């Protein structure tokens, strides 16, 4: 019977992951605002990274992100907050800058209003390394700024 006992070989260990996952930077941003006759700018700054909402007369509303590091691949912005959710694709405007066009209409203004109401703005691209913004509600200053933005769009 000694020769009848068969040993079962152990399975090989699983292969290591192809690319280790990189954690997205999580940024808590506070709002500031600047208005003039031809433009309304809302800025959310955090850890050397800036999110800018630029509203100008007769131009698409632009959501611009300036970062201290480079990213590659086609970026996507996904917003989720108490006022709603939306997704928009963008492009690289330089090694450290990404632009997301929101359009120039009431739907675009509603996306801006959702941002000002607070929530999570998750930026993603195949190249990874883009931040997730935690945006607080902008309060009365944001409401005054939104009046400026609405005046330039409507």
């Amino acid at each position: 019977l000694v020769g009848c006992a068969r040993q079962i070989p152990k399975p090989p260990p699983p292969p290591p992951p192809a690319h280790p996952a990189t954690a997205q930077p999580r940024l808590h941003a506070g709002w500031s605002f600047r208005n003039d006759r031809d433009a309304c700018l809302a800025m959310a700054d955090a850890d050397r990274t800036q999110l800018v909402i630029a509203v100008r007369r007769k131009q698409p509303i632009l959501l611009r992100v300036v970062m201290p590091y480079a990213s590659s691949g086609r970026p996507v912005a996904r917003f989720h907050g108490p006022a709603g959710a939306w997704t928009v694709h963008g492009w690289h405007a330089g090694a450290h800058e990404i632009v997301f066009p929101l359009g120039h209409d009431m739907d675009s203004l509603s996306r801006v209003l959702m941002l000002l109401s607070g929530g999570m703005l998750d930026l993603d691209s195949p190249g990874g390394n883009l931040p997730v913004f935690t945006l607080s509600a902008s309060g009365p200053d944001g409401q005054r700024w939104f009046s400026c933005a609405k005046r330039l769009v409507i």
Side-chain angles (χ1 to χ4, degrees), residues 53-69:
I53 304 169
V55 181
R56 293 184 171 84
R57 191 178 310 280
K58 297 181 183 175
Q59 294 182 23
I61 297 171
L62 296 179
L63 180 64
R64 194 177 92 231
V65 179
V66 179
M67 308 170 289
Y69 45 84

Side-chain angles (χ1 to χ4, degrees), residues 114-126:
M114 288 181 213
L115 284 168
L116 295 174
S117 298
M120 300 288 284
L121 181 63
D122 183 358
L123 305 179
D124 194 17
S125 76

Side-chain angles (χ1 to χ4, degrees), residues 59-135:
Q59 294 182 23
I61 297 171
L62 296 179
L63 180 64
R64 194 177 92 231
V65 179
V66 179
M67 308 170 289
Y69 45 84
S71 174
S72 63
R74 185 165 185 209
V76 177
R78 292 180 184 89
F79 177 78
H80 299 278
W86 50 264
T87 300
V88 66
H89 293 271
W91 67 83
H92 292 271
H96 302 275
E97 184 176 349
I98 299 173
V99 175
F100 299 94
L102 299 182
H104 191 79
D105 55 18
M106 293 302 289
D107 288 340
S108 305
L109 281 174
S110 69
R111 288 179 174 179
V112 169
L113 191 56
M114 288 181 213
L115 284 168
L116 295 174
S117 298
M120 300 288 284
L121 181 63
D122 183 358
L123 305 179
D124 194 17
S125 76
N129 203 33
L130 296 179
V132 175
F133 282 94
T134 299
L135 301 168

